[in-house]
């Protein structure tokens, strides 16, 4: 079980950091989707990126500190649930697929972290 936790944690951390970097660099596609389609203000992009980076650091550190890992994976799960809701709120059925993979991974990390704690 711990090996599965390490693999899913690494994948989720890479996805979260990559997503954060794209937001901080104001990637055209990210800005179009998040700001243009979903309607999130541009001033929120650094905050969202910071949350993703904090979550990534937390789940990796959570491999050695189970309570931190549970908290960080729960936070990332909430973050990606919010992203899905944001897309659904504006009926963006095409863009809603983007946060589904990290949402599934964050749920997997949360469950595995609880089970292996």
């Amino acid at each position: 079980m711990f090996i599965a936790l390490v693999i899913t944690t690494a994948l989720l951390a890479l996805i979260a950091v990559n997503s954060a970097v794209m937001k901080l660099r104001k990637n055209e596609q990210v800005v179009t989707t998040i700001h243009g389609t979903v309607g999130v203000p541009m001033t929120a992009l650094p905050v969202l990126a910071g949350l993703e980076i904090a979550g990534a650091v937390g789940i990796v550190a959570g491999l050695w500190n189970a309570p931190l890992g549970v908290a960080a994976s729960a936070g990332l799960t909430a973050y990606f649930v919010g992203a899905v809701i944001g897309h659904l709120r504006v009926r963006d059925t095409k863009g809603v697929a983007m946060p589904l993979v990290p949402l599934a991974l964050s749920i997997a990390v949360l469950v595995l972290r609880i089970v292996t704690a």
Side-chain angles (χ1 to χ4, degrees), residues 17-41:
V17 168
N18 181 57
S19 175
V21 168
M22 300 289 270
K23 286 176 182 71
L24 291 173
R25 288 187 177 170
K26 295 188 174 133
N27 176 277
E28 184 180 329
Q29 181 182 2
V30 171
V31 169
T32 300
T33 302
I34 294 176
H35 178 65
T37 305
V38 180
V40 174

Side-chain angles (χ1 to χ4, degrees), residues 8-97:
T8 55
T9 295
L11 286 173
L12 180 57
L14 287 173
I15 289 171
V17 168
N18 181 57
S19 175
V21 168
M22 300 289 270
K23 286 176 182 71
L24 291 173
R25 288 187 177 170
K26 295 188 174 133
N27 176 277
E28 184 180 329
Q29 181 182 2
V30 171
V31 169
T32 300
T33 302
I34 294 176
H35 178 65
T37 305
V38 180
V40 174
M42 289 295 291
T43 56
L45 289 182
V47 174
L48 295 175
L51 291 171
E52 288 177 313
I53 291 168
V57 169
I59 60 173
V60 171
L63 292 172
W64 293 274
N65 183 338
L68 176 61
V70 170
S73 58
L76 282 173
T77 299
Y79 177 90
F80 289 115
V81 165
V84 169
I85 290 169
H87 285 278
L88 293 176
R89 181 181 56 85
V90 295
R91 294 181 174 85
D92 180 23
T93 54
K94 203 160 48 166
V96 77

